[in-house]
Amino acid sequence: MKALVLTAALTCTAGTASALCEDAWYLRNMAFDRAGYCFGSALGKSVFRSC
């Protein structure tokens, strides 16, 4: 799973908006959320809990 997220993150840096990029964004931020991270962006706050 880590390799998939890393690969997706590397391919998404070109500004693509593919489903793979969205999945990588969600998986990365889900890990941050579970670790107790407080999101500052409106999107992060709307998808995950905020502090």
Side-chain angles (χ1 to χ4, degrees):
M1 179 64 102
K2 289 180 185 179
L4 173 62
V5 172
L6 179 59
T7 302
L10 291 174
T11 58
C12 294
T13 57
T16 60
S18 70
L20 184 59
C21 293
E22 292 172 13
D23 289 347
W25 177 89
Y26 182 81
L27 289 172
R28 181 197 67 184
N29 287 316
M30 182 175 59
F32 287 147
D33 180 56
R34 289 184 178 175
Y37 179 79
C38 297
F39 294 89
S41 71
L43 180 59
K45 288 178 181 178
S46 69
V47 176
F48 302 100
R49 65 182 166 178
S50 60
C51 297

